[in-house]
Amino acid sequence: MGRIENSVLANKIAALKKSKRAIILAHYYTAGEVQAVADFVGDSLALSQKAATVDADIILFAGVRFMAETAKVLSPDKKVLLPVVEAGCSLADSCDAGELARVKAENPDHLVVAYVNTSVEVKALTDICCTSSNALDIVRGLPAEQKILFIPDRNLGSYINKCTGRNMKLWDGACLVHEEFSVEEIVKLKEAHPQAKVVVHPECKAEVVELADYAGSTAGILAYCKNSEAEEFIVTTESGILYEMERTLPHKKFYPVPHKGCEGCISCLDMKKVTLENIYETLLNETPEVVIDEDVRAKAEGAIVRMLAL
Ligand code: 13P
Ligand code: SF4
């Protein structure tokens, strides 16, 4: 779609937001034009904090299902809209609530720490949530002798084990987008741009995180690029983040790491399902709405609130 159509749609969205007291929360991995119409763009932690406190009648979540569910859990009295119900997450899908209940029953002495990239049903079986921004602090805050089951990301889990010296039991899940980044492609870019700093999301494999000058959440990566004296960065995470990098740091250079043998395919296709067209339609018709069973919501809220309180 061209820029004229985009600006027409953006104006229509702005008018609907105003008349319906709606706000748009967007993740950094959504398309640039989607981030441009959002009231707030952030990482998973900042978005949940915002969802808990925002003053609005409607929250439209430009992101994937687990994020919109988290917003609904924290703001049950608001209408939470998710433009594409099929916008899922390979990481969240790697942990099923029934399977978690079975593993919990086999490990009754383990505390369940869940990355927020999980379904609301999984969060309802969780003791405390974390995001990639606060995972190290949350795990460090638990008594050293406490046994932990970390779900669902084996990569983030092994990164936390390495940084904290813990031996958490890890669920065998992964994000299919971050799993694809390879040492080989980073080394190629480093050879071409030897001054560039390597930034990596900890959802990547251990050997990839190993190459990082900085590893952290999307907001952490953005803050590092902003505060670093370096002028060039090799970016090892989903490509949507380049919009915020180039918008806020136009004098710096960013080199996205391609997936091996697949130039340009570093997108989370689920995040990219959100478009200006479906945001407009969703706001206009106030559907699809996120609806969660109250018993499940209340249980999941406990795990998220325990995280936000820390
Ligand atoms: P953060 O924005 O919390 O780093 O999360 C990354 C991610 O994969 C979200 O889906
Ligand atoms: Fe899920 Fe990975 Fe997409 Fe994030 S990037 S929403 S973890 S599939």
Side-chain angles (χ1 to χ4, degrees), residues 27-29 42-47 64 66-67 88-89 91 115-117 130-134 153 175 177-178 201-203 216-221 237-238 241 268 271:
H27 190 267
Y28 289 124
Y29 292 164
D43 70 351
S44 307
L45 179 61
L47 288 167
V64 294
F66 78 82
M67 297 180 165
C89 164
L91 184 50
Y115 193 30
V116 280
N117 298 40
C130 70
T131 74
S132 44
S133 273
N134 61 19
D153 189 355
C175 157
V177 178
H178 286 89
H201 197 283
E203 287 174 18
S217 75
T218 49
I221 288 174
T237 188
E238 209 273 351
I241 199 172
C268 172
M271 287 283 188

mmCIF file of all heavy atoms in Angstrom, residues 27-29 42-47 64 66-67 88-89 91 115-117 130-134 153 175 177-178 201-203 216-221 237-238 241 268 271, ligand 1:
data_model
loop_
_atom_site.group_PDB
_atom_site.id
_atom_site.type_symbol
_atom_site.label_atom_id
_atom_site.label_comp_id
_atom_site.label_asym_id
_atom_site.label_seq_id
_atom_site.Cartn_x
_atom_site.Cartn_y
_atom_site.Cartn_z
ATOM 1 N N HIS A 27 3.833 -3.720 19.673
ATOM 2 C CA HIS A 27 5.173 -4.255 19.943
ATOM 3 C C HIS A 27 6.140 -3.785 18.851
ATOM 4 O O HIS A 27 5.721 -3.520 17.712
ATOM 5 C CB HIS A 27 5.128 -5.795 20.001
ATOM 6 C CG HIS A 27 6.416 -6.383 20.502
ATOM 7 N ND1 HIS A 27 7.421 -6.769 19.644
ATOM 8 C CD2 HIS A 27 6.889 -6.586 21.752
ATOM 9 C CE1 HIS A 27 8.449 -7.218 20.373
ATOM 10 N NE2 HIS A 27 8.145 -7.111 21.659
ATOM 11 N N TYR A 28 7.442 -3.716 19.216
ATOM 12 C CA TYR A 28 8.479 -3.277 18.270
ATOM 13 C C TYR A 28 8.603 -4.166 17.035
ATOM 14 O O TYR A 28 9.272 -3.791 16.071
ATOM 15 C CB TYR A 28 9.844 -3.260 18.961
ATOM 16 C CG TYR A 28 10.015 -2.169 19.988
ATOM 17 C CD1 TYR A 28 10.373 -2.487 21.296
ATOM 18 C CD2 TYR A 28 9.860 -0.823 19.654
ATOM 19 C CE1 TYR A 28 10.560 -1.490 22.250
ATOM 20 C CE2 TYR A 28 10.041 0.168 20.594
ATOM 21 C CZ TYR A 28 10.389 -0.170 21.895
ATOM 22 O OH TYR A 28 10.566 0.817 22.823
ATOM 23 N N TYR A 29 8.029 -5.370 17.061
ATOM 24 C CA TYR A 29 8.156 -6.259 15.903
ATOM 25 C C TYR A 29 7.052 -6.053 14.862
ATOM 26 O O TYR A 29 7.080 -6.690 13.811
ATOM 27 C CB TYR A 29 8.121 -7.735 16.343
ATOM 28 C CG TYR A 29 9.301 -8.214 17.159
ATOM 29 C CD1 TYR A 29 9.226 -9.405 17.885
ATOM 30 C CD2 TYR A 29 10.494 -7.511 17.207
ATOM 31 C CE1 TYR A 29 10.293 -9.868 18.633
ATOM 32 C CE2 TYR A 29 11.560 -7.956 17.966
ATOM 33 C CZ TYR A 29 11.461 -9.145 18.677
ATOM 34 O OH TYR A 29 12.506 -9.599 19.416
ATOM 35 N N GLY A 42 6.381 -0.701 22.699
ATOM 36 C CA GLY A 42 7.322 -1.130 23.733
ATOM 37 C C GLY A 42 7.678 -2.584 23.631
ATOM 38 O O GLY A 42 7.249 -3.294 22.713
ATOM 39 N N ASP A 43 8.490 -3.031 24.615
ATOM 40 C CA ASP A 43 8.798 -4.460 24.730
ATOM 41 C C ASP A 43 7.692 -5.112 25.567
ATOM 42 O O ASP A 43 6.772 -4.438 26.038
ATOM 43 C CB ASP A 43 10.211 -4.688 25.294
ATOM 44 C CG ASP A 43 10.347 -4.325 26.769
ATOM 45 O OD1 ASP A 43 9.406 -3.727 27.343
ATOM 46 O OD2 ASP A 43 11.395 -4.628 27.361
ATOM 47 N N SER A 44 7.787 -6.417 25.770
ATOM 48 C CA SER A 44 6.688 -7.126 26.435
ATOM 49 C C SER A 44 6.449 -6.591 27.844
ATOM 50 O O SER A 44 5.301 -6.476 28.278
ATOM 51 C CB SER A 44 7.008 -8.618 26.517
ATOM 52 O OG SER A 44 7.326 -9.108 25.261
ATOM 53 N N LEU A 45 7.517 -6.250 28.567
ATOM 54 C CA LEU A 45 7.348 -5.768 29.939
ATOM 55 C C LEU A 45 6.652 -4.416 29.945
ATOM 56 O O LEU A 45 5.659 -4.209 30.643
ATOM 57 C CB LEU A 45 8.704 -5.675 30.657
ATOM 58 C CG LEU A 45 8.624 -5.149 32.095
ATOM 59 C CD1 LEU A 45 7.772 -6.068 32.970
ATOM 60 C CD2 LEU A 45 9.999 -4.973 32.711
ATOM 61 N N ALA A 46 7.164 -3.482 29.149
ATOM 62 C CA ALA A 46 6.580 -2.133 29.123
ATOM 63 C C ALA A 46 5.135 -2.184 28.662
ATOM 64 O O ALA A 46 4.281 -1.444 29.171
ATOM 65 C CB ALA A 46 7.412 -1.240 28.214
ATOM 66 N N LEU A 47 4.831 -3.067 27.722
ATOM 67 C CA LEU A 47 3.453 -3.162 27.224
ATOM 68 C C LEU A 47 2.524 -3.702 28.308
ATOM 69 O O LEU A 47 1.397 -3.230 28.455
ATOM 70 C CB LEU A 47 3.399 -4.053 25.975
ATOM 71 C CG LEU A 47 4.002 -3.421 24.707
ATOM 72 C CD1 LEU A 47 4.194 -4.462 23.610
ATOM 73 C CD2 LEU A 47 3.120 -2.280 24.193
ATOM 74 N N VAL A 64 0.714 -9.992 19.062
ATOM 75 C CA VAL A 64 0.211 -11.366 18.951
ATOM 76 C C VAL A 64 -0.689 -11.706 20.146
ATOM 77 O O VAL A 64 -0.770 -10.946 21.108
ATOM 78 C CB VAL A 64 1.377 -12.379 18.792
ATOM 79 C CG1 VAL A 64 2.092 -12.158 17.471
ATOM 80 C CG2 VAL A 64 2.342 -12.308 19.952
ATOM 81 N N PHE A 66 -0.817 -13.734 22.794
ATOM 82 C CA PHE A 66 -0.482 -13.785 24.227
ATOM 83 C C PHE A 66 -0.352 -12.385 24.809
ATOM 84 O O PHE A 66 -0.631 -12.158 25.988
ATOM 85 C CB PHE A 66 0.777 -14.639 24.482
ATOM 86 C CG PHE A 66 2.089 -13.965 24.158
ATOM 87 C CD1 PHE A 66 2.690 -13.094 25.054
ATOM 88 C CD2 PHE A 66 2.742 -14.213 22.958
ATOM 89 C CE1 PHE A 66 3.898 -12.472 24.758
ATOM 90 C CE2 PHE A 66 3.935 -13.599 22.649
ATOM 91 C CZ PHE A 66 4.516 -12.724 23.553
ATOM 92 N N MET A 67 0.051 -11.416 23.992
ATOM 93 C CA MET A 67 0.193 -10.037 24.462
ATOM 94 C C MET A 67 -1.174 -9.415 24.740
ATOM 95 O O MET A 67 -1.377 -8.746 25.755
ATOM 96 C CB MET A 67 0.942 -9.200 23.433
ATOM 97 C CG MET A 67 2.359 -9.682 23.212
ATOM 98 S SD MET A 67 3.206 -8.662 22.007
ATOM 99 C CE MET A 67 4.880 -9.194 22.332
ATOM 100 N N GLY A 88 -0.582 -15.807 16.343
ATOM 101 C CA GLY A 88 -0.075 -16.588 17.474
ATOM 102 C C GLY A 88 1.409 -16.394 17.656
ATOM 103 O O GLY A 88 1.987 -15.402 17.207
ATOM 104 N N CYS A 89 2.036 -17.363 18.314
ATOM 105 C CA CYS A 89 3.479 -17.263 18.605
ATOM 106 C C CYS A 89 4.013 -18.683 18.721
ATOM 107 O O CYS A 89 3.488 -19.481 19.510
ATOM 108 C CB CYS A 89 3.655 -16.501 19.917
ATOM 109 S SG CYS A 89 5.288 -16.651 20.667
ATOM 110 N N LEU A 91 6.593 -19.767 20.042
ATOM 111 C CA LEU A 91 7.122 -20.048 21.383
ATOM 112 C C LEU A 91 5.981 -20.372 22.343
ATOM 113 O O LEU A 91 6.030 -21.376 23.075
ATOM 114 C CB LEU A 91 7.932 -18.829 21.853
ATOM 115 C CG LEU A 91 8.653 -18.933 23.183
ATOM 116 C CD1 LEU A 91 9.490 -20.194 23.287
ATOM 117 C CD2 LEU A 91 9.526 -17.696 23.390
ATOM 118 N N TYR A 115 8.019 -17.397 31.001
ATOM 119 C CA TYR A 115 8.203 -16.257 30.108
ATOM 120 C C TYR A 115 6.806 -15.814 29.687
ATOM 121 O O TYR A 115 5.925 -16.667 29.508
ATOM 122 C CB TYR A 115 9.010 -16.783 28.901
ATOM 123 C CG TYR A 115 9.604 -15.753 27.983
ATOM 124 C CD1 TYR A 115 9.989 -14.506 28.433
ATOM 125 C CD2 TYR A 115 9.808 -16.066 26.633
ATOM 126 C CE1 TYR A 115 10.550 -13.581 27.556
ATOM 127 C CE2 TYR A 115 10.378 -15.160 25.758
ATOM 128 C CZ TYR A 115 10.738 -13.912 26.237
ATOM 129 O OH TYR A 115 11.288 -13.010 25.372
ATOM 130 N N VAL A 116 6.587 -14.503 29.515
ATOM 131 C CA VAL A 116 5.223 -14.054 29.158
ATOM 132 C C VAL A 116 4.735 -14.606 27.834
ATOM 133 O O VAL A 116 3.533 -14.573 27.564
ATOM 134 C CB VAL A 116 5.071 -12.512 29.106
ATOM 135 C CG1 VAL A 116 4.904 -11.914 30.471
ATOM 136 C CG2 VAL A 116 6.154 -11.868 28.308
ATOM 137 N N ASN A 117 5.639 -15.102 27.005
ATOM 138 C CA ASN A 117 5.231 -15.683 25.719
ATOM 139 C C ASN A 117 4.590 -17.051 25.967
ATOM 140 O O ASN A 117 5.120 -18.094 25.602
ATOM 141 C CB ASN A 117 6.444 -15.848 24.790
ATOM 142 C CG ASN A 117 7.107 -14.537 24.441
ATOM 143 O OD1 ASN A 117 7.239 -13.667 25.299
ATOM 144 N ND2 ASN A 117 7.525 -14.380 23.210
ATOM 145 N N CYS A 130 7.827 -13.750 33.778
ATOM 146 C CA CYS A 130 8.963 -12.852 33.569
ATOM 147 C C CYS A 130 8.961 -12.483 32.083
ATOM 148 O O CYS A 130 8.275 -13.108 31.282
ATOM 149 C CB CYS A 130 10.283 -13.516 33.955
ATOM 150 S SG CYS A 130 10.793 -14.835 32.849
ATOM 151 N N THR A 131 9.731 -11.446 31.752
ATOM 152 C CA THR A 131 9.963 -11.116 30.342
ATOM 153 C C THR A 131 11.478 -11.140 30.156
ATOM 154 O O THR A 131 12.225 -11.306 31.133
ATOM 155 C CB THR A 131 9.430 -9.712 29.977
ATOM 156 O OG1 THR A 131 10.310 -8.745 30.544
ATOM 157 C CG2 THR A 131 8.023 -9.480 30.477
ATOM 158 N N SER A 132 11.934 -10.891 28.934
ATOM 159 C CA SER A 132 13.394 -10.912 28.757
ATOM 160 C C SER A 132 14.045 -9.690 29.421
ATOM 161 O O SER A 132 15.244 -9.683 29.647
ATOM 162 C CB SER A 132 13.761 -11.013 27.275
ATOM 163 O OG SER A 132 12.981 -10.143 26.521
ATOM 164 N N SER A 133 13.234 -8.668 29.772
ATOM 165 C CA SER A 133 13.787 -7.496 30.479
ATOM 166 C C SER A 133 14.097 -7.802 31.935
ATOM 167 O O SER A 133 15.018 -7.236 32.507
ATOM 168 C CB SER A 133 12.760 -6.356 30.503
ATOM 169 O OG SER A 133 12.842 -5.577 29.375
ATOM 170 N N ASN A 134 13.248 -8.618 32.564
ATOM 171 C CA ASN A 134 13.408 -8.784 34.016
ATOM 172 C C ASN A 134 13.707 -10.215 34.444
ATOM 173 O O ASN A 134 13.765 -10.495 35.654
ATOM 174 C CB ASN A 134 12.147 -8.269 34.737
ATOM 175 C CG ASN A 134 10.903 -9.045 34.311
ATOM 176 O OD1 ASN A 134 10.989 -10.131 33.777
ATOM 177 N ND2 ASN A 134 9.734 -8.476 34.552
ATOM 178 N N ASP A 153 10.834 -21.264 26.968
ATOM 179 C CA ASP A 153 11.954 -21.025 26.047
ATOM 180 C C ASP A 153 13.267 -21.634 26.557
ATOM 181 O O ASP A 153 13.867 -21.113 27.496
ATOM 182 C CB ASP A 153 12.117 -19.505 25.834
ATOM 183 C CG ASP A 153 13.106 -19.164 24.734
ATOM 184 O OD1 ASP A 153 13.742 -20.096 24.204
ATOM 185 O OD2 ASP A 153 13.259 -17.984 24.415
ATOM 186 N N CYS A 175 11.428 -20.043 20.000
ATOM 187 C CA CYS A 175 10.827 -19.148 19.004
ATOM 188 C C CYS A 175 11.445 -19.497 17.658
ATOM 189 O O CYS A 175 12.674 -19.434 17.490
ATOM 190 C CB CYS A 175 11.141 -17.697 19.374
ATOM 191 S SG CYS A 175 11.041 -16.592 17.954
ATOM 192 N N VAL A 177 11.506 -17.908 14.954
ATOM 193 C CA VAL A 177 12.171 -16.768 14.296
ATOM 194 C C VAL A 177 13.589 -16.616 14.842
ATOM 195 O O VAL A 177 14.568 -16.501 14.082
ATOM 196 C CB VAL A 177 11.371 -15.468 14.528
ATOM 197 C CG1 VAL A 177 12.065 -14.278 13.889
ATOM 198 C CG2 VAL A 177 9.947 -15.604 14.012
ATOM 199 N N HIS A 178 13.743 -16.639 16.151
ATOM 200 C CA HIS A 178 15.073 -16.428 16.752
ATOM 201 C C HIS A 178 15.978 -17.647 16.633
ATOM 202 O O HIS A 178 17.201 -17.513 16.575
ATOM 203 C CB HIS A 178 14.922 -15.975 18.209
ATOM 204 C CG HIS A 178 14.459 -14.547 18.319
ATOM 205 N ND1 HIS A 178 13.128 -14.207 18.352
ATOM 206 C CD2 HIS A 178 15.153 -13.381 18.341
ATOM 207 C CE1 HIS A 178 13.020 -12.884 18.405
ATOM 208 N NE2 HIS A 178 14.238 -12.359 18.402
ATOM 209 N N HIS A 201 18.992 -10.936 20.804
ATOM 210 C CA HIS A 201 17.899 -11.238 21.742
ATOM 211 C C HIS A 201 18.176 -12.616 22.363
ATOM 212 O O HIS A 201 18.559 -13.544 21.641
ATOM 213 C CB HIS A 201 16.549 -11.244 20.996
ATOM 214 C CG HIS A 201 15.396 -11.128 21.932
ATOM 215 N ND1 HIS A 201 14.946 -12.187 22.686
ATOM 216 C CD2 HIS A 201 14.621 -10.064 22.270
ATOM 217 C CE1 HIS A 201 13.925 -11.775 23.441
ATOM 218 N NE2 HIS A 201 13.707 -10.496 23.204
ATOM 219 N N PRO A 202 17.964 -12.766 23.684
ATOM 220 C CA PRO A 202 18.282 -14.058 24.310
ATOM 221 C C PRO A 202 17.357 -15.210 23.938
ATOM 222 O O PRO A 202 17.536 -16.321 24.447
ATOM 223 C CB PRO A 202 18.231 -13.754 25.814
ATOM 224 C CG PRO A 202 17.428 -12.518 25.939
ATOM 225 C CD PRO A 202 17.583 -11.748 24.670
ATOM 226 N N GLU A 203 16.389 -14.987 23.041
ATOM 227 C CA GLU A 203 15.621 -16.119 22.495
ATOM 228 C C GLU A 203 16.451 -16.866 21.444
ATOM 229 O O GLU A 203 16.032 -17.914 20.946
ATOM 230 C CB GLU A 203 14.315 -15.627 21.855
ATOM 231 C CG GLU A 203 13.270 -15.194 22.857
ATOM 232 C CD GLU A 203 12.040 -14.575 22.211
ATOM 233 O OE1 GLU A 203 11.810 -14.764 21.012
ATOM 234 O OE2 GLU A 203 11.300 -13.877 22.923
ATOM 235 N N GLY A 216 19.775 -8.853 25.258
ATOM 236 C CA GLY A 216 18.668 -8.399 26.105
ATOM 237 C C GLY A 216 17.389 -8.246 25.311
ATOM 238 O O GLY A 216 17.324 -8.576 24.122
ATOM 239 N N SER A 217 16.382 -7.738 25.994
ATOM 240 C CA SER A 217 15.053 -7.571 25.388
ATOM 241 C C SER A 217 15.111 -6.526 24.275
ATOM 242 O O SER A 217 16.115 -5.804 24.133
ATOM 243 C CB SER A 217 14.064 -7.106 26.450
ATOM 244 O OG SER A 217 14.299 -5.745 26.741
ATOM 245 N N THR A 218 14.020 -6.375 23.559
ATOM 246 C CA THR A 218 13.999 -5.380 22.477
ATOM 247 C C THR A 218 14.265 -3.978 23.041
ATOM 248 O O THR A 218 15.045 -3.215 22.465
ATOM 249 C CB THR A 218 12.654 -5.423 21.720
ATOM 250 O OG1 THR A 218 11.582 -5.405 22.669
ATOM 251 C CG2 THR A 218 12.548 -6.659 20.866
ATOM 252 N N ALA A 219 13.633 -3.654 24.187
ATOM 253 C CA ALA A 219 13.869 -2.324 24.776
ATOM 254 C C ALA A 219 15.319 -2.199 25.250
ATOM 255 O O ALA A 219 15.937 -1.134 25.113
ATOM 256 C CB ALA A 219 12.904 -2.083 25.933
ATOM 257 N N GLY A 220 15.862 -3.285 25.785
ATOM 258 C CA GLY A 220 17.255 -3.278 26.234
ATOM 259 C C GLY A 220 18.210 -3.059 25.057
ATOM 260 O O GLY A 220 19.175 -2.285 25.149
ATOM 261 N N ILE A 221 17.927 -3.715 23.952
ATOM 262 C CA ILE A 221 18.760 -3.563 22.743
ATOM 263 C C ILE A 221 18.700 -2.115 22.252
ATOM 264 O O ILE A 221 19.734 -1.507 21.941
ATOM 265 C CB ILE A 221 18.287 -4.548 21.636
ATOM 266 C CG1 ILE A 221 18.668 -5.983 22.012
ATOM 267 C CG2 ILE A 221 18.872 -4.175 20.279
ATOM 268 C CD1 ILE A 221 18.139 -7.060 21.067
ATOM 269 N N THR A 237 17.802 -9.870 15.870
ATOM 270 C CA THR A 237 16.436 -10.088 16.364
ATOM 271 C C THR A 237 15.480 -9.756 15.225
ATOM 272 O O THR A 237 15.920 -9.458 14.109
ATOM 273 C CB THR A 237 16.158 -9.271 17.642
ATOM 274 O OG1 THR A 237 14.880 -9.671 18.166
ATOM 275 C CG2 THR A 237 16.132 -7.758 17.417
ATOM 276 N N GLU A 238 14.199 -9.811 15.509
ATOM 277 C CA GLU A 238 13.186 -9.635 14.458
ATOM 278 C C GLU A 238 13.309 -8.250 13.821
ATOM 279 O O GLU A 238 13.573 -7.251 14.497
ATOM 280 C CB GLU A 238 11.802 -9.835 15.103
ATOM 281 C CG GLU A 238 10.745 -10.354 14.183
ATOM 282 C CD GLU A 238 10.033 -9.268 13.416
ATOM 283 O OE1 GLU A 238 10.241 -8.073 13.715
ATOM 284 O OE2 GLU A 238 9.277 -9.608 12.493
ATOM 285 N N ILE A 241 12.141 -4.195 14.650
ATOM 286 C CA ILE A 241 12.848 -3.299 15.570
ATOM 287 C C ILE A 241 13.648 -2.231 14.805
ATOM 288 O O ILE A 241 13.938 -1.158 15.341
ATOM 289 C CB ILE A 241 13.772 -4.118 16.516
ATOM 290 C CG1 ILE A 241 14.144 -3.281 17.750
ATOM 291 C CG2 ILE A 241 14.997 -4.642 15.795
ATOM 292 C CD1 ILE A 241 14.876 -4.045 18.830
ATOM 293 N N CYS A 268 8.782 -12.026 11.978
ATOM 294 C CA CYS A 268 7.798 -12.859 12.657
ATOM 295 C C CYS A 268 6.503 -12.656 11.878
ATOM 296 O O CYS A 268 5.899 -11.583 11.933
ATOM 297 C CB CYS A 268 7.647 -12.421 14.102
ATOM 298 S SG CYS A 268 6.284 -13.261 14.909
ATOM 299 N N MET A 271 3.485 -11.356 13.843
ATOM 300 C CA MET A 271 3.481 -9.918 14.154
ATOM 301 C C MET A 271 3.090 -9.103 12.916
ATOM 302 O O MET A 271 2.439 -8.069 13.014
ATOM 303 C CB MET A 271 4.879 -9.476 14.606
ATOM 304 C CG MET A 271 5.241 -9.955 15.995
ATOM 305 S SD MET A 271 4.403 -8.943 17.230
ATOM 306 C CE MET A 271 5.187 -9.573 18.716
HETATM 307 P P1 13P B 1 10.639 -8.481 24.198
HETATM 308 O O1 13P B 1 10.048 -7.321 23.472
HETATM 309 O O2 13P B 1 10.132 -8.522 25.595
HETATM 310 O O3 13P B 1 12.122 -8.499 24.111
HETATM 311 O O4 13P B 1 10.073 -9.813 23.521
HETATM 312 C C1 13P B 1 10.493 -10.340 22.343
HETATM 313 C C2 13P B 1 9.469 -11.181 21.708
HETATM 314 O O5 13P B 1 9.722 -12.160 21.097
HETATM 315 C C3 13P B 1 8.101 -10.782 21.785
HETATM 316 O O6 13P B 1 7.374 -11.668 21.100
#
